[in-house]
Amino acid sequence: MEVGQGKVRVDAYAKVCGEAKYTADLEPKNILHGKVLHSEIANGLVKSMDISEAEKVPGVVKVLTCFDVPDCQFPTAGHPWSVEEKHQDICDRRLLNRRVRFYGDDIACVIAEDEVAAQQALRKIKVEYEEYPAIPTVEQAMAEGATPLHPDLRKDNVIVHSHMTMGKADFSFEKALEEAKKEYGEEELVYVEEKLDTPRISHCHIELPVSWAYVDNNGKVTVTCSTQIPAIVKLCTAMALGIPTGKVRIIKPYIGGGFGNKQDVLYEPLNAFMSMQVGGRPVRLEISREETIISTRTRHKITGYVRGLAKRDGTILARSLDAYANNGAYASHGHAICANCCTVFKDLYRDRMGTEADGWTVYTSSPTAGAMRAYGIPQSIWFTECLVDDLAKKLGMDPYELRMKNCMEEGFRDPGNGITFRSYGLKQCMEKGAELFHWTEKREKYGHESGMKRRGVGMAIFCYKTGVHPISLETASARMVLNQDGSAQLIMGATEIGQGADTVFTQMAADTSGLRFDEIYIVSTQDTDVTPFDTGAYASRQTYVSGMACKKVAEEFRSRILDYAAYMLNNSVEDISKTIYAKEVSRAEEKLRSQLSLSPKERILPEMLEIVDSRVVLKEGGEALFPLSILADTAFYSLDRAVHITAEVSNQCKDNTFSSGVCFAEVEVDLPLGLVKILDLVELHDSGIIINRKTAEGQVHGGIAQSIGYALSEDLLVDEKTGRVLNDNLLDFKIPTAMDVPDMRIDFVELEDPTGPYGNKSLGEPPTIAAAPAIRNAVLQATGIGMKVAPMTSQRLIEAFQEGGLL
């Protein structure tokens, strides 16, 4: 279905709606409740479904099955649509699925007057399956004879395999190893090879992906939903229903968290379909925590086979990565996450001979993986920083010195995507962080630990892109509107999801326009019928890409205000002499002409004026002329020249840059209990100019907490025989609590980046990257055991300590 080329069947709308009367009554008593039936097998086919008993439950309005939905396959990834087919996401979803691909797949739904009736009806639906063997692991899915989960799209279960190199065009790690042996001699080389594993993770945002839908009086289906990407949800919903995009409206209110899970289209299209099937009545679809964990998205479980080669003086010569990403049942973001993992693996260090990275993204009959905060880089940095510390151990070298000697430097340009390290404060972060943490003293102090409780320190570095250019489109729009009292509305397509974006955008608009911060009112609700276009909250792009739009619109808005101010000053006697502000404006004109030595016939130009603290002032000297409240009142109500001052701009960003940083961790390891206690944690970020220190610190605190969970406790377990999730609740899926998170010391190295609208670059996602490998490397120093699997649970630690002879 080629939505982007306008070839959607318009008549499909009537077919999907059935007999809808478009008289949605939004009174709470008239809102229906929807519930979804999930499959109880991991791989197979729904042969038949008996809904007769479910339909008899009092309060049930309608039961819909996988046999009732439109024959439309659609994508769900929160990527901009592309007019180039090769950049379009994989269309492998349906509203409800007859072909079951994981335990928890959506196969039917119930619409009822209340939740109790809907839940009772679900239990009465009888399903007959044709069951196939579950293939929830990459090894099972890639094995010879494994059932292809999407035979219409792929001949096997490999979604994409990519190969990347840096160095000579024909570089391979094997060639580099042979060449190094000849050039330096085998005795001068240190080689490390290991398998490293990362876990499947649930996002655990507090607000669940709730939505409600109705059809309005114009026949437009409207979905209010908890999403990061309203404009993309609009497009994908239209594709799922087989209707024009203009027939869909998405409203995103102020929401509570997403972390990338809501950078996917989740249940919004199904909710729209449910409303359309009951005459346009409003339907609320609330997904439980268990359903959210199983049936929305997860972080990718990626296994990495890494190799590293260095000279005995600590010069890293070559590295390689083979990464296998378990993508689950559906493509979602496809290969983008694994490819990003491989890209940053090669971008972090200067391998003198070269780097090689292969990535495989694989369909399996397990929960679907998608975007999660930092988009494949927590896995990448786990692989990279475990490898580098293990090299340092084998070299007998301080891990700090090894990193300082080999980390990438300012000016580096990735040959694959052209992204350049325009400003790069990684070394400054390491120097400042090491001093704050007392790295050298602690490293020496814990150099010879013994006993059942041992301490150690570790570190990890990272880099992260800002936005998605040139891999994908980067575009954003913004609007400013002058109010009658001289204040302004700021309307952004970019979405606030709890990260503080609205505060920062308001600061940007105030700083550039000259209005007071408290006189700019940002609209936190995005409505695709009203709001300017923006692709959404992801990729740490908003203060960078949407920030550029915000700066441009504030400049345009200021220019239009000053144009009108010049008109007022040039025409104060003739045209506004009868207004209540005539005397004040006349005095301002007289003052200005006197200071600039202008004759009565010379025009006052907008370039002579500025806006400061919501007042029009003389640019030369800064003397205040009159407040914006006078200008606004005149602009709205002047009988001579009434003007409604607004500005709207769009911005296509065709640049990108890297942020970077480092985390230092000090731990105490209780060997018999397999417990790791974090004693001290210091993290430094180079994120360009920090626009709001408090929101920046909040981002870092939250990101570190997530990384601690990644390191020590969070692991979504899937039974390898049945494909069933074993810990689909917040009791059994262990996220850190306040008791698990130490006092964190954070700081910033502020280097102005020439590409950022205010010298800024990414910060939203980088904080969740480095703490996990830093903690792992601290455990390595404390115990001599280099853990290969995250999270480092008590059981895994005790088993490793026993194998290493410590217990």
Side-chain angles (χ1 to χ4, degrees):
M1 187 185 316
E2 301 176 46
V3 170
Q5 298 177 26
K7 296 181 181 178
V8 177
R9 288 169 27 219
V10 177
D11 63 338
Y13 189 68
K15 181 180 177 182
V16 173
C17 284
E19 298 298 318
K21 297 177 182 177
Y22 318 125
T23 55
D25 186 345
L26 303 183
E27 287 293 322
K29 61 182 172 47
N30 292 314
I31 294 177
L32 301 174
H33 296 265
K35 289 292 180 184
V36 180
L37 181 67
H38 304 283
S39 68
E40 295 185 344
I41 64 168
N43 192 6
L45 189 71
V46 176
K47 294 181 67 178
S48 65
M49 208 174 287
D50 182 355
I51 61 172
S52 57
E53 292 303 311
E55 290 177 317
K56 294 176 184 176
V57 174
V60 168
V61 176
K62 195 150 194 173
V63 179
L64 300 167
T65 75
C66 53
F67 302 100
D68 302 321
V69 297
D71 187 19
C72 299
Q73 291 196 177
F74 61 96
T76 64
H79 293 150
W81 180 256
S82 176
V83 293
E84 297 180 23
E85 190 173 351
K86 67 179 181 179
H87 286 136
Q88 294 171 5
D89 291 303
I90 299 171
C91 294
D92 63 356
R93 298 291 298 224
R94 285 164 55 94
L95 291 171
L96 297 167
N97 299 297
R98 188 181 176 208
R99 175 66 171 88
V100 171
R101 298 179 175 92
F102 75 103
Y103 197 111
D105 214 340
D106 308 324
I107 58 175
C109 60
V110 173
I111 307 164
E113 298 289 348
D114 57 69
E115 289 188 63
V116 174
Q119 203 69 54
Q120 287 177 342
L122 283 185
R123 290 195 288 266
K124 292 182 179 294
I125 297 174
K126 298 174 183 177
V127 184
E128 182 186 2
Y129 297 102
E130 180 180 321
E131 190 169 1
Y132 311 141
I135 49 172
T137 70
V138 166
E139 293 80 7
Q140 291 168 332
M142 293 181 71
E144 189 175 346
T147 307
L149 291 172
H150 295 271
D152 56 324
L153 300 172
R154 297 289 187 272
K155 69 180 188 303
D156 54 29
N157 289 311
V158 176
I159 299 173
V160 177
H161 167 225
S162 63
H163 177 69
M164 306 176 190
T165 60
M166 200 145 65
K168 295 179 183 177
D170 63 344
F171 174 84
S172 74
F173 189 87
E174 286 76 12
K175 285 183 183 178
L177 184 58
E178 291 307 312
E179 289 175 16
K181 287 177 181 177
K182 290 176 184 176
E183 185 172 352
Y184 304 111
E186 197 164 346
E187 68 282 355
E188 285 300 311
L189 301 175
V190 170
Y191 173 76
V192 171
E193 179 176 0
E194 53 198 356
K195 174 188 175 185
L196 300 165
D197 270 302
T198 61
R200 183 185 285 106
I201 292 287
S202 177
H203 301 72
C204 295
H205 39 75
I206 298 302
E207 184 185 53
L208 299 170
V210 137
S211 62
W212 63 288
Y214 61 92
V215 180
D216 68 18
N217 291 329
N218 294 317
K220 179 174 288 193
V221 63
T222 300
V223 186
T224 300
C225 51
S226 183
T227 183
Q228 299 172 218
I229 48 166
I232 295 172
V233 171
K234 176 186 175 93
L235 175 64
C236 293
T237 298
M239 294 175 73
L241 299 172
I243 64 175
T245 53
K247 285 285 190 181
V248 179
R249 178 186 181 191
I250 303 298
I251 299 172
K252 183 223 70 107
Y254 199 95
I255 71 167
F259 303 125
N261 194 28
K262 298 172 188 175
Q263 197 209 330
D264 239 82
V265 180
L266 301 173
Y267 284 98
E268 299 89 355
L270 179 59
N271 198 359
F273 179 70
M274 293 165 80
S275 172
M276 296 165 88
Q277 291 298 300
V278 291
R281 285 185 66 180
V283 178
R284 175 184 170 87
L285 182 57
E286 183 170 347
I287 304 303
S288 69
R289 176 65 63 184
E290 291 79 5
E291 288 173 291
T292 301
I293 289 175
I294 295 171
S295 301
T296 57
R297 306 292 178 267
T298 69
R299 192 193 288 283
H300 285 72
K301 177 179 176 62
I302 303 181
T303 297
Y305 296 86
V306 297
R307 292 178 290 178
L309 180 67
K311 291 168 61 180
R312 290 210 171 270
D313 67 357
T315 303
I316 296 179
L317 299 175
R319 292 174 302 127
S320 77
L321 167 67
D322 288 338
Y324 293 86
N326 187 326
N327 209 75
Y330 295 95
S332 181
H333 286 239
H335 189 55
I337 285 97
C338 190
N340 209 34
C341 171
C342 292
T343 297
V344 168
F345 179 85
K346 63 184 178 60
D347 283 345
L348 196 59
Y349 288 97
R350 293 177 292 117
D351 301 298
R352 304 321 193 269
M353 300 179 76
T355 321
E356 182 177 27
D358 276 79
W360 286 264
T361 299
V362 182
Y363 280 127
T364 68
S365 55
S366 60
T368 302
M372 187 174 176
R373 194 175 183 182
Y375 211 77
I377 309 309
Q379 298 95 319
S380 181
I381 299 302
W382 177 266
F383 301 147
T384 309
E385 294 302 87
C386 291
L387 174 64
V388 168
D389 248 60
D390 293 349
L391 272 171
K393 185 172 186 290
K394 204 164 183 179
L395 286 163
M397 189 173 181
D398 187 322
Y400 175 88
E401 297 300 332
L402 184 61
R403 288 176 171 84
M404 289 293 283
K405 184 181 178 74
N406 292 285
C407 70
M408 203 61 80
E409 296 180 330
E410 186 174 336
F412 164 74
R413 181 179 182 274
D414 186 313
N417 54 37
I419 301 173
T420 303
F421 289 37
R422 302 289 176 78
S423 63
Y424 201 52
L426 177 56
K427 285 192 173 181
Q428 293 96 314
C429 284
M430 283 198 277
E431 289 166 355
K432 190 174 181 180
E435 183 179 349
L436 184 63
F437 184 75
H438 302 295
W439 169 267
T440 302
E441 299 92 317
K442 289 180 178 179
R443 184 82 188 171
E444 292 175 359
K445 180 180 178 182
Y446 300 141
H448 304 283
E449 289 286 283
S450 60
M452 290 296 103
K453 283 189 178 181
R454 304 183 185 185
R455 293 186 176 187
V457 293
M459 65 179 293
I461 62 174
F462 67 87
C463 68
Y464 194 79
K465 298 192 296 294
T466 306
V468 299
H469 176 81
I471 297 96
S472 190
L473 172 70
E474 276 294 13
T475 182
S477 300
R479 183 188 306 134
M480 289 188 76
V481 179
L482 186 67
N483 294 323
Q484 290 96 322
D485 63 354
S487 63
Q489 251 73 257
L490 172 63
I491 304 100
M492 302 288 297
T495 55
E496 170 66 67
I497 59 170
Q499 79 279 47
D502 283 357
T503 300
V504 169
F505 289 138
T506 305
Q507 285 182 258
M508 289 177 171
D511 183 74
T512 301
S513 70
L515 273 69
R516 287 163 51 95
F517 176 85
D518 60 355
E519 292 186 357
I520 294 178
Y521 303 103
I522 192 163
V523 179
S524 289
T525 296
Q526 278 69 46
D527 179 338
T528 57
D529 271 12
V530 178
T531 307
F533 184 86
D534 194 296
T535 50
Y538 59 86
S540 298
R541 62 179 291 277
Q542 288 200 148
T543 56
Y544 187 78
V545 178
S546 305
M548 292 178 188
C550 188
K551 184 177 184 179
K552 284 182 178 180
V553 80
E555 289 170 341
E556 179 67 22
F557 187 64
R558 180 186 63 199
S559 175
R560 294 183 183 187
I561 290 174
L562 293 177
D563 282 343
Y564 198 84
Y567 154 77
M568 290 174 64
L569 291 164
N570 285 318
N571 297 276
S572 62
V573 177
E574 295 87 345
D575 297 327
I576 63 170
S577 58
K578 295 180 181 179
T579 72
I580 59 174
Y581 305 121
K583 290 182 180 179
E584 193 164 345
V585 177
S586 294
R587 282 196 298 268
E589 180 194 0
E590 185 179 339
K591 184 191 302 182
L592 190 151
R593 290 185 180 279
S594 172
Q595 291 192 13
L596 297 180
S597 302
L598 294 176
S599 71
K601 292 186 178 180
E602 289 181 279
R603 305 292 292 175
I604 296 168
L605 302 176
E607 293 79 30
M608 300 172 181
L609 308 173
E610 189 54 275
I611 303 172
V612 176
D613 201 25
S614 290
R615 299 181 70 85
V616 177
V617 304
L618 179 63
K619 184 179 283 186
E620 206 174 280
E623 186 166 352
L625 301 175
F626 51 82
L628 287 187
S629 56
I630 287 179
L631 182 145
D633 210 28
T634 305
F636 270 95
Y637 303 116
S638 168
L639 294 177
D640 177 67
R641 188 185 176 195
V643 177
H644 304 154
I645 298 175
T646 67
E648 182 167 346
V649 302
S650 62
N651 173 68
Q652 183 174 358
C653 176
K654 294 186 177 182
D655 215 332
N656 208 327
T657 189
F658 283 91
S659 63
S660 63
V662 61
C663 181
F664 295 91
E666 177 184 3
V667 304
E668 181 178 84
V669 184
D670 187 317
L671 273 65
L673 295 180
L675 292 180
V676 175
K677 182 179 181 181
I678 305 167
L679 303 175
D680 191 14
L681 195 144
V682 171
E683 188 156 299
L684 275 289
H685 284 259
D686 159 34
S687 291
I689 301 301
I690 300 301
I691 294 171
N692 185 302
R693 178 85 186 200
K694 287 297 182 185
T695 59
E697 288 175 351
Q699 286 286 349
V700 178
H701 288 153
I704 290 172
Q706 285 187 311
S707 196
I708 288 171
Y710 195 69
L712 299 176
S713 61
E714 295 183 40
D715 194 358
L716 191 62
L717 302 172
V718 175
D719 188 294
E720 293 190 6
K721 292 182 179 178
T722 65
R724 185 171 185 172
V725 173
L726 302 175
N727 54 338
D728 60 355
N729 57 79
L730 294 184
L731 178 63
D732 298 318
F733 184 82
K734 302 294 186 182
I735 63 174
T737 69
M739 300 294 290
D740 304 305
V741 179
D743 288 338
M744 296 172 273
R745 294 184 286 157
I746 64 171
D747 208 343
F748 302 93
V749 170
E750 295 192 57
L751 303 177
E752 185 169 359
D753 193 278
T755 67
Y758 298 89
N760 58 297
K761 51 188 180 179
S762 61
L763 180 61
E765 293 167 279
T768 198
I769 296 171
I775 293 165
R776 180 266 185 190
N777 292 336
V779 172
L780 171 63
Q781 199 214 5
T783 66
I785 303 296
M787 295 297 292
K788 303 297 188 283
V789 182
M792 299 177 290
T793 60
S794 294
Q795 180 177 340
R796 287 171 177 163
L797 285 167
I798 290 170
E799 288 172 354
F801 296 156
Q802 289 173 335
E803 188 178 334
L806 301 182
L807 292 176

